[in-house]
Amino acid sequence: MENWNLTSDFILLGLFNHTGAHLFLFVMVLTTAFLSLVGNALMLLLILLDSRLHRPMYFLLSQLSLMDMMLVSTVVPKTAADYLTSRNSISPAGCGLQIFFFLTLGGGECFLLAAMSYDRYVAICHPLRYPVLMSWLVCLWMILGSWFLGAADGLMQAAATLTFSYCSSHEIDHFFCEAPSLVRLACADTSLFESVMYICCVLMLLVPISLILTSYSLILATVLQMHSNEARKKAFTTCSSHLSVVGLFFGAGIFTYMKPKSYRSANYNKVVSVYYTIFTPVLNPLIYSLRNNDVRGALRKFMDQCLALNYAGSCAAPGCKILSVPSISCF
């Protein structure tokens, strides 16, 4: 096959064609992505404004929302633009950036979820030592470590992927640049790189999930020894939210990267990719807002404040009397 240089663009074959059914699916995906951005932005805003959420647990949660927003923004705008304009090309630099951000955010989220499980372990199993074991400094190092490990994996795979020479067939059967899909187009022998890439993905999944399972095994043993039903219920409610997010994220990741290569297909990869790049991020704020009393309280407080401001604004005209506007502070 004729070699292809890195001055040419790749062609993304996309997720949808221009039939009526696919147009409906495109609108559904776009709506879901928009709701994901709004939900995670609202979660970030609540954590910033409400003093009751100024704790390490919610600082970690704010980073999860930030990563989800960035993940959706990395994939969906380009996919939507390609579908609407029918211009599916992407430059090598753009493809490398997509791979880098996708792996940085995906890998970082794996380690961030492990940090969140450690936070719950300390809060439930060692509550009196929580200010020491989970101080703001420890929390900051956990967050920086999550971003660093994700970025290291993303940089390594993006740089290595773009060093290969590619053949004349430069159509990527995907809706965004993903390293495994791009490597299939290389003319050179990529078996060593694919093995290293597989090991990296397995480690990025198995190390965090092992820490998570260990943390929750210890939490479960502690909860079962609690004599107070109220304390036990509160612990289960708090942890079930996190376990739901862990199950959704790691389930999709393991199903994608640890399944034998012979069982994968392009359509299979696309469907699973939609799940963990678009649908999982929209579920995270819903899970935490519905299952967490502190977040629900902060949301009610924020809505009351918005209603109070709207009511005050509507009565700004002369002769309009404000009967009672509750005093609501975000701090």
Side-chain angles (χ1 to χ4, degrees), residues 11 34 112 118 134 145 171 191 193 244 251 275 283 302 321 325:
I11 303 297
F34 175 75
L112 186 66
Y118 171 77
M134 198 61 200
E171 294 182 340
S191 56
F193 172 72
S244 300
Y275 178 77
L283 292 175
F302 179 75
K321 184 182 294 184
V325 177

Side-chain angles (χ1 to χ4, degrees), residues 19-87:
T19 62
H22 278 220
L23 177 60
F24 173 76
L25 291 175
F26 170 74
V27 172
M28 290 294 294
V29 166
L30 207 60
T31 302
T32 304
F34 175 75
L35 292 175
S36 173
L37 292 173
V38 171
N40 284 291
L42 180 59
M43 185 68 71
L44 275 171
L45 185 64
L46 291 176
I47 294 171
L48 175 66
L49 296 180
D50 199 298
S51 58
R52 293 174 299 178
L53 303 183
H54 293 173
R55 288 182 278 165
M57 170 187 173
Y58 296 107
F59 189 37
L60 293 170
L61 179 56
S62 71
Q63 296 301 300
L64 180 66
S65 293
L66 178 60
M67 287 181 177
D68 283 340
M69 289 177 64
M70 292 179 65
L71 184 61
V72 172
S73 300
T74 298
V75 175
V76 175
K78 172 62 178 171
T79 303
D82 288 347
Y83 181 79
L84 294 173
T85 63
S86 298
R87 297 179 63 181

Side-chain angles (χ1 to χ4, degrees), residues 47-273:
I47 294 171
L48 175 66
L49 296 180
D50 199 298
S51 58
R52 293 174 299 178
L53 303 183
H54 293 173
R55 288 182 278 165
M57 170 187 173
Y58 296 107
F59 189 37
L60 293 170
L61 179 56
S62 71
Q63 296 301 300
L64 180 66
S65 293
L66 178 60
M67 287 181 177
D68 283 340
M69 289 177 64
M70 292 179 65
L71 184 61
V72 172
S73 300
T74 298
V75 175
V76 175
K78 172 62 178 171
T79 303
D82 288 347
Y83 181 79
L84 294 173
T85 63
S86 298
R87 297 179 63 181
N88 298 342
S89 63
I90 184 171
S91 66
C95 199
L97 283 174
Q98 266 200 336
I99 292 172
F100 170 73
F101 281 112
F102 175 74
L103 291 174
T104 296
L105 297 166
E109 195 161 327
C110 289
F111 289 101
L112 186 66
L113 289 171
M116 293 173 74
S117 70
Y118 171 77
D119 171 80
R120 291 300 83 206
Y121 160 72
V122 175
I124 294 173
C125 300
H126 303 284
L128 298 179
R129 301 178 62 195
Y130 184 85
V132 176
L133 296 177
M134 198 61 200
S135 65
W136 281 107
L137 182 61
V138 173
C139 180
L140 180 61
W141 277 111
M142 285 182 169
I143 290 170
L144 291 176
S146 299
W147 281 100
F148 174 78
L149 291 171
D153 181 51
L155 183 61
M156 179 191 71
Q157 291 202 38
T161 301
L162 294 180
T163 58
F164 293 115
S165 59
Y166 290 91
C167 303
S168 56
S169 176
H170 52 276
E171 294 182 340
I172 303 174
D173 196 2
H174 214 307
F175 60 96
F176 69 98
C177 280
E178 195 177 29
S181 300
L182 187 59
V183 166
R184 294 191 190 100
L185 305 179
C187 296
D189 180 17
T190 61
S191 56
L192 177 61
F193 172 72
E194 290 187 61
S195 299
V196 173
M197 184 171 59
Y198 179 79
I199 293 171
C200 287
C201 291
V202 169
L203 289 176
M204 295 288 280
L205 289 170
L206 290 186
V207 172
I209 204 169
S210 298
L211 295 173
I212 291 170
L213 291 176
T214 301
S215 296
Y216 277 100
S217 298
L218 296 171
I219 289 172
L220 180 61
T222 301
V223 169
L224 292 177
Q225 295 175 2
M226 292 180 176
H227 300 292
S228 170
N229 290 331
E230 183 178 351
R232 187 181 302 177
K233 181 180 178 181
K234 183 177 180 180
F236 273 125
T237 301
T238 304
C239 294
S240 63
S241 301
H242 184 231
L243 282 175
S244 300
V245 173
V246 168
L248 289 170
F249 185 80
F250 281 95
I254 291 172
F255 200 67
T256 301
Y257 292 104
M258 298 185 68
K259 190 172 183 178
K261 187 177 179 180
S262 57
Y263 289 93
R264 302 177 192 173
S265 66
N267 289 332
Y268 158 85
N269 288 335
K270 291 179 185 180
V271 171
V272 177
S273 296

